[in-house]
Amino acid sequence: MKVAEAVGRALCAAGVGQVFGVVGSGNFHVTNAMVAAGARFVAARHEGGAATMADAYARTSGTVAVVSVHQGPGLTNAMTGIAEAAKSRTPLVVLAAEVTEPRSNFYVDQEALARAVGAVTVRVTSAEDAVEQACAAVGLAVRERRAVLLNLPLPVQALDVPDGALAQAAPPAERAAVEPEAEGVAALAELLGQSRRPVFVAGRGSRGPGSRTALEALAERYGALLATSAVARGLFQGNPWSLDISGGFASPLASELIQGADLIVGWGCALNMWTMRHGHLIGADATVVQVDDDPSALGAHRPVHLGVTGDVRLTARQVFDAGGEQRQGYRSPETGAAIAARARLRDVRHEDTSTRERIDPRTLSIALDDILPAERVVGVDSGNFMGYPSAYLSVPDEKGFCFTQAFQSIGLGLATTIGAALAQPDRLPVAALGDGGALMGAAELDTVRRLGLPMVVVVYDDEAYGAEVHHFGPDGHPLDTVRFPPTDIAAVGRGYGFEAVTVRTRADLKAVVDWVAGPRSAPLLIDAKVVADRGSWWLEEAFRGH
C-alpha cells in the first residue's frame, strides 16, 4: 500500500467521516482513499469554499472535519477559510499535498503559511511513520481545538508503507474536561450569593453537551438573566429569562439589563469588544468573572475580578453543588414581563423605511422569520447587513446558528451554510448574504444545487460594500470604488438552477411562501433590494473601535 492510500485510510480510522475539497494531481490518491474508506467527500468549486464548509461542518456537528487541497495554489486558495478556522479554534485537518523542490512552480513554504494565520503543522516524513503522523494530526485538532495543516510531500506519497501499518490507526482520546480549582468554585459561589442582579453571558465554550442544563440550573438558583455571544446564539432558546445576544446585535432592553448587572459571568466567552460593546455593557460597579478551560483566555480582552480555569459544565455544576440559598436576583416579575415583550429585537417597533423600490431590511427579516420553518440552520456572511439576519432570524438552538466571523472576511457565508447544512440535514438551511459576499462566493451556488440542498439564500442587496459606504460617506469621501451598478442576482441564481425571486416589497414575499409550501424541488434565492440610506446600528458601534 502506498503512503497516499495509507494516510487517507488512517484519517478515516482516526474518526474523520466528512471531507471537503478540490482535487488535483497532488491530492487525488489520498482523497480517493478516504472515500474508499467510507468518508463522504464534497467537491467545492473553490478551495476557499471547501475550507469554510469544513470549518462550519466541524462547528455545527461537533466532530473533526478534513479539507483536502492540491499543493501550492490549492493551499493558498484555501487560506482565508483556514485563517477563520484557526482564529475560531475549530478542530480541522487541512490535508495538503506538498512539493519539496524549491524550483517547482508549486513551491511555497506551506508551514510558514499555516503559522502566519495561527494554524499548526504536522508533516508526513516517511512511509514508516505515515499512519502515526496522520493520526497525530487528528489528535492535535481534537484535543487542542486547532486547525492543523497535514503536509503530505509528493515524494513520500509514492512510497510503500510496511505491512500492517494501518493496525495502529485509531480515534484519538477525547479532550479531557478541565476540572476547576476548588478556590475558584468557592469564590464564584460567594459572589453569586452576594449578587442582586447577576447576568450570565455564554460563549463558544458553552456549546458542549450538558452546558445549557448546568448553566440554567445555576442561573435559576441565583436569579441570573441569560445571554450569549453571537457564536453561541440559540443556546438558551425558549428560556423565559433569555436576553438573546449580548453585544452589538442586542435589543435595547437586553443592553439596558446587562448594563444594570452588578455581576457579569462570562462562561466560555471572551467578553471582547463585540460582546461587551467596547466595555459599555459593563456597569461601573459591576464585578466581572470569566470561566474558561484555557487559562490564557482569562482577562485577555479586559480585566476581570475573578478568573476560573475550568470546563463550563463542570464549573457550573460544582458551583451549584457548593450550595447557596435560592435567590430572586434579577428575576423580578417586572423584569420577566419586559423580557417577554421586548427582549427580541424583532419585537421592538421600528419605523419602516421601505419604498416601492426597496424594502427595509428589518421588515424583510421579520417577515422571513415568520415565513420560514422554525427548524432551521442559519449561516451569515459579513458586512453592513449582517446584524439583521443575526438578530431577527430566530434559531432553535446553538447548533442552528453558524457565525464564521473571527476573521471578518466577506464571501464565506454561502460556504458556511453548506457545511452547516450537511451537519444538520433535518433542518432548513438559510444563507444570509450581502450582495458583495454573494457574488464573491457565487461559484458555490453550483455546490448547493449539485448536492440537492433545499437551501434558502437571502441576499441583502444594497449594490455596494455597505460597510465602507456608511463608514466613509459621512466624511465626504468619494464612494465610486465601493458602489456598483445594479445586478440581477436572481438571474444569477436561476443560471445555477435555483428558483429565484426579486423582492422589493412585502408583497413580493408571496413567492417565498409558495416555495416553503412545497415541493422545494430546487433551492431558492431571494434577491432582496434593501433600503441603503444609512448604516446599520451595529456597524456604527463596531467602527468606534477602528
Side-chain angles (χ1 to χ4, degrees):
M1 183 185 299
K2 303 297 183 184
V3 165
E5 181 180 354
V7 167
R9 291 185 174 277
L11 290 171
C12 291
V16 173
Q18 181 67 59
V19 186
F20 300 86
V22 176
V23 171
S25 60
N27 65 327
F28 180 84
H29 294 300
V30 67
T31 304
N32 280 345
M34 296 189 74
V35 173
R40 180 181 185 181
F41 176 71
V42 171
R45 285 302 192 178
H46 189 276
E47 289 91 348
T52 302
M53 291 174 201
D55 177 14
Y57 182 91
R59 296 185 195 213
T60 314
S61 69
T63 61
V64 66
V66 164
V67 55
S68 175
V69 297
H70 186 64
Q71 63 270 22
L75 180 61
T76 58
N77 279 346
M79 285 311 298
T80 298
I82 295 168
E84 168 66 35
K87 290 177 181 293
S88 297
R89 298 297 293 267
T90 301
L92 177 68
V93 174
V94 182
L95 175 61
E98 182 184 31
V99 298
T100 55
E101 174 51 62
R103 288 177 294 182
S104 168
N105 60 315
F106 286 130
Y107 179 81
V108 291
D109 189 339
Q110 298 191 169
E111 183 174 351
L113 278 175
R115 188 169 57 249
V117 299
V120 296
T121 60
V122 174
R123 176 173 281 107
V124 176
T125 57
S126 69
E128 290 73 20
D129 298 322
V131 170
E132 179 183 354
Q133 289 162 337
C135 292
V138 177
L140 188 60
V142 170
R143 287 191 295 272
E144 297 192 14
R145 296 194 301 257
R146 301 296 296 267
V148 179
L149 172 60
L150 177 60
N151 284 311
L152 186 56
L154 295 180
V156 178
Q157 289 193 37
L159 300 178
D160 292 312
V161 299
D163 292 340
L166 280 172
Q168 61 185 303
E174 292 294 325
R175 177 184 171 88
V178 177
E179 284 278 349
E181 294 183 354
E183 294 84 354
V185 169
L188 178 51
E190 182 177 357
L191 288 172
L192 285 167
Q194 297 168 351
S195 174
R196 293 181 294 112
R197 298 182 305 281
V199 170
F200 289 178
V201 183
R204 180 182 289 109
S206 298
R207 289 169 55 101
S211 292
R212 171 175 177 162
T213 300
L215 289 173
E216 286 184 326
L218 188 63
E220 175 72 22
R221 162 82 56 83
Y222 291 102
L225 304 184
L226 299 163
T228 72
S229 66
V231 293
R233 185 166 188 238
L235 181 67
F236 300 120
Q237 177 68 23
N239 189 295
W241 300 102
S242 171
L243 302 177
D244 204 2
I245 300 180
S246 173
F249 302 153
S251 69
L253 176 67
S255 297
E256 176 187 334
L257 292 172
I258 296 169
Q259 286 174 324
D262 62 3
L263 175 65
I264 295 175
V265 186
W267 297 91
C269 178
L271 300 178
N272 58 24
M273 57 181 270
W274 312 108
T275 306
M276 290 290 108
R277 286 191 173 178
H278 302 280
H280 297 311
L281 291 186
I282 301 174
D285 299 324
T287 297
V288 179
V289 178
Q290 191 176 359
V291 178
D292 203 288
D293 64 4
D294 180 2
S296 68
L298 302 177
H301 292 274
R302 64 187 60 261
V304 296
H305 298 88
L306 172 66
V308 181
T309 301
D311 173 78
V312 165
R313 179 181 60 83
L314 289 180
T315 303
R317 282 186 172 180
Q318 291 185 24
V319 174
F320 184 90
D321 291 342
E325 297 179 357
Q326 184 79 30
R327 296 175 60 87
Q328 175 178 292
Y330 223 158
R331 299 187 175 191
S332 68
E334 296 78 15
T335 299
I339 290 173
R342 296 183 285 122
R344 297 187 307 168
L345 201 52
R346 61 155 292 160
D347 295 328
V348 178
R349 293 177 63 88
H350 69 276
E351 179 186 354
D352 191 339
T353 61
S354 301
T355 68
R356 286 183 295 179
E357 295 299 318
R358 292 193 170 272
I359 188 168
D360 187 310
R362 296 165 295 183
T363 302
L364 168 71
S365 302
I366 292 170
L368 289 175
D369 192 39
D370 291 336
I371 293 169
L372 299 176
E375 281 298 311
R376 64 184 73 145
V377 56
V378 178
V380 181
D381 210 332
S382 191
N384 179 65
F385 78 95
M386 63 187 288
Y388 301 114
S390 298
Y392 287 86
L393 297 182
S394 61
V395 293
D397 54 32
E398 73 279 11
K399 292 184 178 180
F401 191 63
C402 199
F403 195 68
T404 46
Q405 300 292 338
F407 201 31
Q408 290 183 263
S409 171
I410 70 170
L412 305 185
L414 181 57
T416 290
T417 313
I418 294 171
L422 292 172
Q424 299 289 329
D426 297 330
R427 299 183 178 185
L428 175 72
V430 181
L433 320 174
D435 54 302
L439 293 171
M440 201 178 280
E444 302 306 345
L445 292 171
D446 173 77
T447 305
V448 175
R449 186 69 175 106
R450 183 164 25 91
L451 294 175
L453 297 176
M455 184 181 291
V456 176
V457 176
V458 186
V459 182
Y460 290 73
D461 184 2
D462 63 0
E463 298 169 3
Y465 290 141
E468 284 65 37
V469 166
H470 299 298
H471 184 44
F472 295 107
D475 294 328
H477 296 290
L479 299 173
D480 294 345
T481 55
V482 291
R483 280 185 168 148
F484 302 93
T487 299
D488 189 348
I489 299 177
V492 174
R494 292 187 192 100
Y496 279 102
F498 279 60
E499 293 185 31
V501 57
T502 299
V503 172
R504 297 183 182 275
T505 68
R506 284 184 60 101
D508 296 328
L509 291 169
K510 174 62 165 59
V512 181
V513 175
D514 293 341
W515 182 89
V516 169
R520 306 185 200 174
S521 55
L524 175 68
L525 187 143
I526 303 168
D527 182 8
K529 307 299 186 182
V530 296
V531 172
D533 293 342
R534 58 168 294 174
S536 58
W537 83 97
W538 76 270
L539 192 67
E540 294 174 358
E541 180 78 36
F543 273 135
R544 294 175 191 172
H546 289 264

